[in-house]
Amino acid sequence: DAGVIQSPRHEVTEMGQEVTLRCKPISGHDYLFWYRQTMMRGLELLIYFNNNVPIDDSGMPEDRFSAKMPNASFSTLKIQPSEPRDSAVYLCASSLSSLAGAETQYFGPGTRLLVL
Amino acid sequence: AQSVTQLDSHVSVSEGTPVLLRCNYSSSYSPSLFWYVQHPNKGLQLLLKYTSAATLVKGINGFEAEFKKSETSFHLTKPSAHMSDAAEYFCFMDTGRRALTFGSGTRLQVQP
């Protein structure tokens, strides 16, 4: 398996523009997670999905952020309009559900976003 | 309340000396605990995990961690550091139903 795939790997945009980040989870995984990582705030869980349904979006910073998972193999994180403080690395991860307990999350390489 | 505390934001060791990265947790439930490593410009990679089986867990690259319920700790150790171990390390906790909590990270420097 190719692992979790994220695109683009790097994105530079201007303030006010719409940004769309994409994630393809590992085939067969039913959980998908979006994280944001910055030097100032560290790692933050933004939202996660189970079977394409958003379960917890309490980490989404504000209404400018939205995430969708239209099918089991694709998710998007959209920022509209973008602001310089959104500059960060956005990580996507996927995992399997398990009756035995927590399953390992597999992370993508991340999208490095710079908003000018 | 659930929480994970990584007690050191930076750790510096010499190559060939032992590594100790500390993680304490607080949970009302029996947690699953994970250590992940992140090399520069890369995603997070699982080192090891504890899910209520053996309390001493062995992971990749010679790392291991011991779950100590009495001390609410899950410290990561390695007997001998290698230059390639220089990275950032994160301790994760999952108390079920994907109640995820993680530490702020420990940056490990390895001096030649």
Side-chain angles (χ1 to χ4, degrees), chain A residues 34-48:
Chain A
W34 281 102
Y35 293 85
R36 180 171 66 177
Q37 187 176 29
T38 61
M39 290 292 291
M40 292 296 294
R41 300 174 68 93
L43 197 61
E44 301 171 277
L45 176 63
L46 299 177
I47 184 172
Y48 72 89

Side-chain angles (χ1 to χ4, degrees), chain B residues 75-110:
Chain B
H75 300 334
L76 181 70
T77 61
K78 182 172 181 177
S80 176
H82 191 273
M83 294 297 290
S84 61
D85 296 328
E88 188 150 21
Y89 293 78
F90 292 91
C91 183
F92 269 62
M93 177 173 71
D94 187 338
T95 54
R97 303 194 193 114
R98 292 300 186 270
L100 293 161
T101 316
F102 36 84
S104 53
T106 299
R107 185 167 298 278
L108 176 65
Q109 287 184 309
V110 182

Side-chain angles (χ1 to χ4, degrees), chain A residues 18-25 32-34 47-55 57 60 65-79 92:
Chain A
E18 178 180 295
V19 174
T20 300
L21 311 181
R22 298 172 177 79
C23 177
K24 177 178 168 55
L32 184 139
F33 307 81
W34 281 102
I47 184 172
Y48 72 89
F49 296 82
N50 179 220
N51 291 322
N52 313 336
V53 175
I55 302 301
D57 65 354
M60 295 285 264
F65 286 69
S66 62
K68 295 181 180 179
M69 193 163 185
N71 57 62
S73 59
F74 183 65
S75 176
T76 59
L77 178 67
K78 187 175 292 187
I79 309 172
C92 178

Side-chain angles (χ1 to χ4, degrees), chain A residues 9 31 33 35 37 39 42-45 48 91 95-98 100-109 112, chain B residues 32 34 36 38 40-46 49 51-52 88 90 92 94 96-100 102-104 107:
Chain A
R9 291 292 309 275
Y31 279 88
F33 307 81
Y35 293 85
Q37 187 176 29
M39 290 292 291
L43 197 61
E44 301 171 277
L45 176 63
Y48 72 89
L91 295 166
S95 73
L96 283 167
S97 59
S98 169
E103 284 294 332
T104 302
Q105 292 185 45
Y106 294 86
F107 284 80
R112 189 172 296 272
Chain B
S32 295
F34 304 77
Y36 284 83
Q38 185 178 33
N41 301 315
K42 298 288 180 65
L44 279 73
Q45 179 187 17
L46 179 72
K49 66 180 181 182
T51 55
S52 75
E88 188 150 21
F90 292 91
F92 269 62
D94 187 338
R97 303 194 193 114
R98 292 300 186 270
L100 293 161
F102 36 84
S104 53
R107 185 167 298 278

Side-chain angles (χ1 to χ4, degrees), chain A residues 104, chain B residues 4-8 20-24 33-38 44-50 60 63-66 73-77 88-93 105-106:
Chain A
T104 302
Chain B
V4 171
T5 303
Q6 290 184 242
L7 297 162
D8 307 293
L20 170 64
L21 306 182
R22 298 182 292 168
C23 173
N24 284 106
L33 293 159
F34 304 77
W35 275 101
Y36 284 83
V37 61
Q38 185 178 33
L44 279 73
Q45 179 187 17
L46 179 72
L47 277 177
L48 49 80
K49 66 180 181 182
Y50 166 77
I60 62 171
F63 284 94
E64 63 182 39
E66 186 171 7
S73 69
F74 190 58
H75 300 334
L76 181 70
T77 61
E88 188 150 21
Y89 293 78
F90 292 91
C91 183
F92 269 62
M93 177 173 71
T106 299

